[in-house]
Amino acid sequence: MSGSESGNESGNGTGTGTFVGMPAFPRAAHDAVNDQTLRGNLRHATHTIRAKRAKAVAEVSDWAALRDAGKRIKDHTLRHLDRYLEQLEESVTAAGGTVHWAADADEANRIVAQLVKETGESEVVKVKSMATQEIGLNEALLAEGIHAYETDLAELIVQLGKDRPSHILVPAIHRNRSEIRDIFRSEMGSWGRPAPEGLTDTPAELAEAARLHLREKFLRAKVGVSGANFMVAETGTLVVVESEGNGRMCLTLPETLISVVGIEKIVPTWRDLEVFLQTLPRSSTAERMNPYTSMWTGTTDEDGPRAFHLVLLDNGRTDTLADEVGRQALRCIRCSACLNVCPVYERAGGHAYGSVYPGPIGAILSPQLRGTQSEIDASLPYASSLCGACYEVCPVAIDIPEVLVHLRERVVEGGEVIRQGNKVVLRPAKGHAAERAAMRAARWAFTHPAALRTGQRLASRTRRLQPRTLPGPGRAWSGTRDLPALPKEPFRDWWQRTRTRGGSKEGSK
Amino acid sequence: MRVALFLTCVNDTLYPNTGRAVVRLLSRLGVDVDFPVDQTCCGQAHYNTGYRHEAEPLARRFADVFGEYEAIVTPSGSCGAMVRELYPRMGERARAEGRGESLATALAPVVPRTYELTEFLVDVLGVTDVGAYYPHTVTYHPTCHGLRSLGLGERPRRLLQAVKGLELVELPGAEECCGFGGTFALKNPDVSAAMGADKVRNAESTGAEVLCAADNSCLMHLGGTMTRLGTDMRPVHIAEILASAEEEPAV
Ligand code: SF4
């Protein structure tokens, strides 16, 4: 895949997130837009799931109420996050688990590596966890000589293909069946059990190849690493929802289980799950209920892992919480509905977003978790036409366009933000000087109608001299579209010429 | 009723015919239209690109220029959404930043009195048959802000269906964004153009002669894409269709 090659495979070690060194969104998207296979794969996949989701949601008569309830539960939890996290720590500890607090990626990686080393093992099996990808855990473990095996089918494809995830729910959405067969054939052998002879690209055969390859790992592994979709404060219960059963294997077979979870994944009570276990599957896979819902509370004698560790990950979340407009991004339950409806995601593909969180949610989450300083992070708030489709489908009503515009303001105007708990004043991002000047000039003209009118008249009079393509920054636009011809006379001149009374208000202010 | 036409800067400068059509249409329906000539721009491009502070004086200007009218009508879903959805937000932010009540106070009366054209026709005037005649096949693209921010719903289609001689054909993927998005078209030209091309191809597949929308910005983007792709289809603003009449039909 073009655009995915720019180096990260062997781990950047800094744990500041994957995809370091990505070009800004427009350049990364340029390659994707011109990759016909990729566009075909994405178009097919997103349109199929889009239609299915709409049907699954339409079946529920109280969807709007559920959406509102989800939003309110999450907002309430975020408002009292400190309290609920303490309650969670107490409940997990009481149930026989151990809680660790990680302020950033490096700290979380260090904790997990240490815990694995203490078991004496050098392999772990993983059930899909975005948090561990966010912090680059696999690379960090590898640096310590520990191999992490992804067991989610799509994650497996991404890992074997030395690729990057491009979707929240279907990280290999950018691959089609024959590409997957090729990856299995050439790569499985060097990671464990090879692909069967003569593997074809029928879904059943591909699934069976993955099953055999993974089963060997499940039965061998002594340590499992997971994420969680929810954590229940009152009981200390963690919840993973999935559809392949690999999660259940990872959560029950190993002797030690380490869960790495973002602090925003908490809900106060068991009852709150009622809402999300309805909205999440319908929004994400268009299923009425997800096939496997695994819940575990600490440790249980003679059943499941003997040791349970919960690593609570901050990594920019508390800073995000400090932002009044931006904090709503923390309500996200990672259903991926916003990716599937996003027309920009559909054309640009997930890699262009340069983060494990692609699509509309990635465009607002990454620049908040990582800051807007890097080129890619400064370009993400602009990776949207603000069409609003993402807001419409979001099951927790995150107003993504609102946050995008808010972050754009941060990019071009700078201002005060919280970073690692401290107030810092951001300078405007580089490269916006010409735009800022143009915006000021336009504002000036729009607050001085007489000048505006002169400009319009001049443009009309010289209209035969004007090209239908634009110079400078406008060339990008007129490279693929023609400008309309300028009319002979702007409307206001026609109005004043034909309506004498229309002119009576002139100069009234 | 004293009704003001808020034409928007794009229409004033590039699409004066749309403004003339609105005047013709509303006058035919017995509405007395005024065009306050001190109006300029709603500030959406500034606001949406991150220059909220540059947009604020434009919002204030809007409030000053239109403050005395009972209704403000605009033939742009996008600028209508700016006023109705985002002006209140701007007022709140200015207040939260301790810059006084004045912007919020100035905006309070104009915001609820601002209507997108089709909304004004259906909700305020209570008409769906505006007595128009337009003998062409038309497909309708509901632009994002009209669709999602203003919730125009079926209003534009109902108006079009009542036009004599007009055959309305459904646009596949109608609710997908055309890819204009203001400065998005400049900042992400490749993605924007790909979205525009898909929209035009969908429109072409209907066999319609005319692609109609209630927003000239989107139509500018799509029209430019059409000439590049070499299609015979024409972009036409809904106001021009609704203003068209048997004695003097629009082409
Ligand atoms: S932002 Fe909303 S729609 Fe997007 S993944 Fe999160 S919960 Fe789902």
Side-chain angles (χ1 to χ4, degrees), chain A residues 441-459 492 506, chain B residues 37-38 40 61:
Chain A
R443 196 264 295 135
W444 186 84
F446 288 139
T447 43
H448 295 82
L452 175 68
R453 217 143 39 231
T454 312
Q456 278 178 334
R457 277 182 199 142
L458 189 70
R492 66 182 67 231
E506 262 257 85
Chain B
V37 291
D38 283 339
T40 53
R61 176 172 197 88

Side-chain angles (χ1 to χ4, degrees), chain A residues 383-403:
Chain A
S384 166
S385 64
L386 303 180
C387 78
C390 50
Y391 177 31
E392 193 176 57
V393 296
C394 178
V396 284
I398 300 172
D399 191 338
I400 295 176
E402 180 186 22
V403 183

Side-chain angles (χ1 to χ4, degrees), chain A residues 96-173:
Chain A
T98 311
V99 174
H100 310 259
W101 299 83
D104 57 20
D106 285 343
E107 193 175 3
N109 287 335
R110 264 200 313 277
I111 293 168
V112 178
Q114 185 58 33
L115 288 171
V116 179
K117 278 197 210 155
E118 279 165 16
T119 66
E121 295 294 317
S122 59
E123 280 182 5
V124 302
V125 284
K126 288 180 66 197
V127 55
K128 190 189 162 193
S129 148
M130 308 211 65
T132 63
Q133 288 190 349
E134 174 188 324
I135 61 177
L137 178 67
N138 291 8
E139 292 82 1
L141 288 178
L142 194 61
E144 302 280 338
I146 301 161
H147 287 263
Y149 296 112
E150 297 291 346
T151 68
D152 177 88
L153 179 55
E155 290 295 337
L156 175 71
I157 296 164
V158 168
Q159 189 174 42
L160 293 177
K162 298 187 185 63
D163 199 353
R164 292 184 174 124
S166 68
H167 189 279
I168 290 180
L169 196 80
V170 224
I173 195 171

Side-chain angles (χ1 to χ4, degrees), chain B:
Chain B
M1 187 175 356
R2 255 168 78 69
V3 172
L5 169 61
F6 169 47
L7 193 57
T8 83
C9 58
V10 166
N11 286 321
D12 176 19
T13 311
L14 293 172
Y15 299 98
N17 284 345
T18 297
R20 291 158 79 150
V22 178
V23 173
R24 181 179 178 199
L25 170 66
L26 291 180
S27 307
R28 190 169 78 210
L29 295 170
V31 178
D32 188 15
V33 190
D34 193 9
F35 177 80
V37 291
D38 283 339
Q39 65 176 281
T40 53
C41 163
C42 67
Q44 184 182 192
H46 296 80
Y47 184 89
N48 278 351
T49 315
Y51 298 90
R52 175 167 57 96
H53 292 109
E54 300 289 336
E56 278 182 12
L58 302 181
R60 151 142 340 243
R61 176 172 197 88
F62 184 94
D64 290 347
V65 170
F66 292 103
E68 61 183 84
Y69 293 91
E70 282 166 77
I72 302 144
V73 180
T74 179
S76 162
S78 171
C79 303
M82 176 70 192
V83 175
R84 283 244 300 276
E85 193 182 38
L86 301 179
Y87 276 9
R89 216 173 261 179
M90 284 169 77
E92 278 164 37
R93 294 280 294 169
R95 186 181 292 168
E97 286 168 14
R99 284 181 290 114
E101 295 286 307
S102 62
L103 185 63
T105 312
L107 289 170
V110 286
V111 168
R113 288 188 212 151
T114 302
Y115 300 91
E116 185 277 335
L117 175 67
T118 64
E119 224 178 19
F120 181 76
L121 294 171
V122 176
D123 297 357
V124 181
L125 299 186
V127 289
T128 44
D129 185 348
V130 296
Y133 170 74
Y134 192 75
H136 300 283
T137 327
V138 174
T139 192
Y140 176 74
H141 166 53
T143 59
C144 299
H145 291 153
L147 180 73
R148 299 195 183 89
S149 306
L150 292 177
L152 296 183
E154 286 303 302
R155 293 177 186 87
R157 279 199 193 83
R158 280 167 56 204
L159 289 161
L160 289 171
Q161 267 154 357
V163 173
K164 240 168 86 189
L166 186 149
E167 191 199 338
L168 187 64
V169 288
E170 272 313 303
L171 175 64
E175 304 198 343
E176 279 170 43
C177 175
C178 72
F180 176 60
T183 45
F184 173 73
L186 287 170
K187 290 186 179 280
N188 284 286
D190 296 295
V191 177
S192 166
M195 288 162 70
D198 286 348
K199 178 64 72 182
V200 168
R201 281 189 205 107
N202 278 339
E204 256 189 322
S205 76
T206 65
E209 297 159 66
V210 166
L211 175 64
C212 166
D215 218 310
N216 272 329
S217 309
C218 307
L219 287 175
M220 174 174 74
H221 165 72
L222 293 171
T225 307
M226 284 172 189
T227 56
R228 278 302 163 96
L229 294 178
T231 80
D232 294 333
M233 199 170 224
R234 287 175 292 129
V236 179
H237 193 284
I238 192 168
E240 293 172 45
I241 294 177
L242 298 178
S244 171
E246 232 149 340
E247 13 5 306
E248 197 190 327
V251 284

Side-chain angles (χ1 to χ4, degrees), chain A residues 53 168 280 283-284 328-329 331-341 358-362 364 389-398 400:
Chain A
R53 179 210 154 267
I168 290 180
L280 178 55
S283 302
S284 60
Q328 57 184 307
R331 291 206 294 260
C332 176
I333 56 172
R334 312 277 189 265
C335 72
S336 72
C338 59
L339 279 64
N340 297 328
V341 292
I361 182 62
I364 61 169
C390 50
Y391 177 31
E392 193 176 57
V393 296
C394 178
V396 284
I398 300 172
I400 295 176

